[in-house]
Amino acid sequence: MEGKKITLKDIASRAGLSINTISRALKDKEDIAPATREVIKRLAKEMGYVGNSAAGSLRSGHTRTIAVIVSDVANPHFGIMVKDIEKAARKHNYTILVINTEEDNELEERAIRTAISKNVDGIIICPAQCSTENIEFMKRNGIPFVLIGRRFLEENDYDYVICDDEKGGYLATKHLLDIGHKRILFLNGPQRISSAQERYMGYRRAHEEAGLKVDPLLVKDVGLPGDTRRTVKMMVENESFTAIFAFNDVIAWEAMYVLQMMGCRIPEEYAIIGFDNIHSRMFIPFPLSSISSSKGEMARRALEVLLSKINEPGDKKSYREVVDTTLIWRVSTLGHNES
């Protein structure tokens, strides 16, 4: 059969059975004896048979595929999350389609259109949050979806699974304040992103609780490539601060790199804490204090919510899931000398 796609007819001819028997055996129908099913499955595998999922989806109305739309899978945070979603989906016999948006509104719209055109059963999306237009587009098309990692703070009925960003921002800032730092540079993400807004709320709450005012000069958005390097260099040269709270671990590592290149010592001169706890999954040479955002739990819960929406399309239940965040204390925030 070399060079030819194997069909049910080919297997039936080799086995000396009807096409219907072969088909039912491969679908694990109970009217076919277990021993016969095993023989047929083994023969199909030997011959290189691959079922036609498109034909099956036409009959069932489901493709058993889910689109996962994120800003950048090269970011370890999203890479880990996508892997966890894929692992959870596999247990339910679903396959995922991953599409990057690069935080671009037009690319996000194209990603959604592509996913819908591929007849995916649902979409898990970390929205770019340039507007709600793309989310409303999914609603109009009736495609089940759930937001992951971010939510729209204005009133709406979008389902989401996020981490407790406000608490995470509070814990990170309070940790730095508790070990003696009073001037903390916050390298935040773009303000259109809900997690950036909520982490800033936590940063501000920790300061207020400590009886300190937030210095606006110490709050910087670093959403574009190169922003972190330029900002850290400028701040070291022009402002007084002793600690950095970064919007995510990638920004924290970039800030750490700049400080080291400038001859600064970490944590003796500058303490640094990030967000996402990537170190729990990747062994990085210099351990970074971070806020754990429970990526695995968020991924599993987002998939569960989406499958519920796929399997019960008439269900009007709203899902507002907030996963807890915790402080993970490592070398990058130890050793500050208050003198």
Side-chain angles (χ1 to χ4, degrees):
M1 296 295 177
E2 185 177 350
K4 176 179 178 292
K5 183 178 180 180
I6 303 302
T7 66
L8 292 175
K9 183 178 179 181
D10 296 325
I11 302 171
S13 178
R14 176 80 68 87
L17 298 168
S18 70
I19 293 175
N20 184 57
T21 299
I22 300 298
S23 176
R24 297 185 70 76
L26 293 176
K27 293 175 183 173
D28 268 329
K29 297 296 184 180
E30 293 184 359
D31 59 337
I32 308 298
T36 302
R37 275 184 265 162
E38 287 306 310
V39 169
I40 290 172
K41 286 180 182 179
R42 189 160 53 248
L43 179 59
K45 184 176 181 179
E46 289 173 1
M47 295 177 68
Y49 173 75
V50 179
N52 187 336
S53 61
S57 68
L58 287 173
R59 290 189 295 269
S60 68
H62 293 287
T63 61
R64 302 202 74 81
T65 57
I66 291 169
V68 180
I69 301 175
V70 296
S71 63
D72 183 9
V73 77
N75 180 329
H77 169 68
F78 290 116
I80 292 167
M81 184 177 289
V82 167
K83 180 179 179 180
D84 286 341
I85 293 172
E86 193 276 334
K87 185 177 180 180
R90 196 189 318 143
K91 292 179 180 178
H92 295 273
N93 296 315
Y94 272 83
T95 302
I96 69 169
L97 168 68
V98 182
I99 311 176
N100 290 304
T101 66
E102 299 178 23
E103 299 284 8
D104 182 274
N105 196 58
E106 290 185 10
L107 289 179
E108 182 178 78
E109 180 187 357
R110 188 185 304 174
I112 292 168
R113 288 181 178 274
T114 297
I116 294 174
S117 73
K118 299 289 185 183
N119 294 318
V120 299
D121 294 336
I123 296 173
I124 296 176
I125 181 171
C126 182
Q129 294 196 295
C130 298
S131 73
T132 60
E133 290 178 7
N134 292 334
I135 311 303
E136 289 296 321
F137 178 75
M138 288 191 290
K139 283 187 64 176
R140 290 196 300 273
N141 274 270
I143 183 80
F145 68 90
V146 60
L147 311 183
I148 189 168
R150 300 172 185 173
R151 62 178 171 178
F152 288 86
L153 298 179
E154 60 269 24
E155 190 64 31
N156 56 60
D157 59 353
Y158 308 146
D159 297 313
Y160 59 75
V161 178
I162 63 169
C163 73
D164 194 336
D165 287 297
E166 195 275 343
K167 179 182 177 182
Y170 168 80
L171 290 175
T173 309
K174 184 177 186 301
H175 171 59
L176 293 172
L177 290 168
D178 285 347
I179 60 176
H181 298 279
K182 291 183 171 56
R183 289 187 59 77
I184 301 167
L185 172 62
F186 183 23
L187 300 176
N188 200 8
Q191 279 301 298
R192 71 173 190 278
I193 297 174
S194 63
S195 47
Q197 296 176 44
E198 293 183 288
R199 289 173 199 181
Y200 172 71
M201 290 167 59
Y203 172 85
R204 189 176 62 196
R205 176 160 71 96
H207 277 81
E208 291 171 352
E209 190 178 272
L212 298 171
K213 288 186 177 181
V214 169
D215 184 345
L217 293 176
L218 294 180
V219 180
K220 302 293 181 182
D221 293 355
V222 290
L224 298 174
D227 277 358
T228 300
R229 293 187 295 275
R230 288 189 294 269
T231 300
V232 171
K233 187 174 184 298
M234 177 192 71
M235 294 299 289
V236 170
E237 293 172 347
N238 296 285
E239 295 293 338
S240 171
F241 67 97
T242 61
I244 295 176
F245 167 35
F247 174 73
N248 60 36
D249 287 351
V250 173
I251 291 173
W253 281 319
E254 192 172 1
M256 190 180 296
Y257 171 80
V258 174
L259 289 173
Q260 290 175 334
M261 291 300 291
M262 295 179 73
C264 303
R265 294 178 300 155
I266 300 166
E268 291 81 6
E269 293 180 82
Y270 295 97
I272 302 180
I273 187 168
F275 204 112
D276 293 333
N277 194 28
I278 292 171
H279 194 84
S280 66
R281 303 286 189 96
M282 299 174 66
F283 294 100
I284 308 298
F286 194 90
L288 174 70
S289 292
S290 188
I291 299 299
S292 175
S293 55
S294 306
K295 293 173 287 300
E297 186 176 348
M298 287 171 59
R300 288 189 295 273
R301 191 62 194 127
L303 182 72
E304 290 171 1
V305 170
L306 185 63
L307 291 181
S308 176
K309 292 164 68 68
I310 290 171
N311 296 324
E312 300 177 33
D315 185 8
K316 301 299 183 183
K317 180 181 177 182
S318 294
Y319 296 89
R320 303 288 189 272
E321 307 270 342
V322 181
V323 176
D324 195 19
T325 48
T326 56
L327 170 68
I328 307 297
W329 188 348
R330 297 191 180 96
V331 175
S332 68
T333 55
L334 293 173
H336 175 61
N337 186 349
E338 295 183 40
S339 62

